[in-house]
Amino acid sequence: MSIPERLAANRYETDEEQSHIHVDQDLARSTGTGERIIAVCPAKVYAREADGRISVEYAACFECGACLAVAAPGALEWHYPRGGMGIQLREG
Ligand code: SF4
């Protein structure tokens, strides 16, 4: 089974009430964190908007933690989704 096929088998339970990811826009800009999290995220959760802000499409998050590894302290707040929410892995 290919990687795209494996990823397609995953299920997501989206927490419609709250995001598990928050970006400090000022710190993301001043530390370069914005560009790093856009580049590293395999799920394309982050994007640079026309006004310069980083948008967060948190429902697509794989919960891999890569963005945390490249973010400057304080620029990114990330925690696992509330119980029962988030990704439900089906293949490895
Ligand atoms: Fe993207 Fe992984 Fe960070 Fe989720 S945890 S936003 S998938 S880099």
Side-chain angles (χ1 to χ4, degrees), residues 42-65:
K44 307 297 182 205
V45 166
Y46 305 103
R48 173 79 66 194
E49 298 299 320
D51 65 1
R53 298 177 59 81
I54 303 295
S55 62
V56 181
E57 192 64 47
Y58 69 93
C61 178
F62 293 165
E63 301 172 26
C64 69

Side-chain angles (χ1 to χ4, degrees), residues 7-65:
L7 291 175
N10 294 329
R11 301 236 171 115
Y12 296 85
E13 193 67 43
T14 302
D15 188 341
E16 303 287 354
E17 296 180 14
Q18 66 181 52
S19 172
H20 65 286
I21 304 170
H22 297 280
V23 174
D24 182 309
Q25 298 291 336
D26 292 336
L27 274 176
R29 187 177 304 109
S30 65
T31 64
T33 291
E35 299 313 316
R36 291 196 298 274
I37 60 178
I38 290 170
V40 78
C41 178
K44 307 297 182 205
V45 166
Y46 305 103
R48 173 79 66 194
E49 298 299 320
D51 65 1
R53 298 177 59 81
I54 303 295
S55 62
V56 181
E57 192 64 47
Y58 69 93
C61 178
F62 293 165
E63 301 172 26
C64 69

